């Protein structure tokens, strides 16, 4: 009997931690959306590190967050009311606006130049 109670307690603690993490991510998603006039996203598995939440603002601004699990990322997106895309396809990717920082950083890395 004790093992069952211990397992249930551990599961309850894990659920609470997941809820807290998802709530924090949802607040960050909401802040991003507010700053960029709204946002949409896509979830991408990144192996043992978790799941990347890619955010694209209505104004073309972009960013990302990392959730420890896919389930946590889904919960955070739902709490934030984030519209999710299945893939980072052409239409969705075309909304991203890159600036001079991104272009110099990409060119610097690719061409052996100075990193920003």
């Amino acid at each position: 009997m004790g093992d069952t109670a211990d397992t249930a307690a551990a599961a309850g603690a894990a659920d609470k931690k997941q809820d807290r993490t998802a709530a924090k991510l949802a607040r960050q998603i909401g802040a991003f959306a507010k700053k960029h006039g709204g946002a949409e996203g896509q979830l991408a598995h990144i192996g043992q590190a978790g799941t990347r939440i890619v955010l694209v603002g209505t104004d073309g601004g972009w960013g990302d967050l990392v959730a420890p699990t896919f389930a946590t990322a889904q919960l955070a997106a739902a709490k934030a009311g984030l519209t999710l895309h299945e893939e980072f396809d052409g239409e969705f990717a075309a909304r991203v606006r890159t600036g001079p920082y991104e272009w110099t950083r990409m060119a610097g890395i690719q061409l052996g130049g100075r990193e920003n």
Side-chain angles (χ1 to χ4, degrees):
M1 247 330 167
D3 289 341
T4 305
D6 291 343
T7 303
D15 287 345
K16 286 181 182 179
K17 182 176 180 181
Q18 182 183 33
D19 285 343
R20 284 192 309 270
T21 301
K24 180 180 177 183
L25 289 166
R27 285 191 301 274
Q28 292 171 317
I29 292 167
F32 178 90
K34 184 176 179 182
K35 181 178 179 181
H36 295 280
E40 294 182 12
Q42 191 259 337
L43 305 182
H45 293 281
I46 53 175
Q48 291 182 346
T51 298
R52 175 171 283 134
I53 305 169
V54 180
L55 303 169
V56 178
T58 303
D59 65 357
W62 60 278
D64 66 348
L65 298 166
V66 176
T69 66
F70 190 78
T72 303
Q74 287 179 311
L75 184 58
K79 285 178 180 275
L82 185 67
T83 299
L84 291 175
H85 293 259
E86 289 293 319
E87 296 183 17
F88 200 79
D89 60 6
E91 181 183 329
F92 186 48
R95 296 181 193 171
V96 174
R97 299 289 172 245
T98 54
Y101 172 79
E102 289 84 6
W103 285 104
T104 59
R105 180 155 173 81
M106 288 186 282
I109 291 170
Q110 294 298 319
L111 302 175
R114 165 181 90 76
E115 291 187 27
N116 291 346

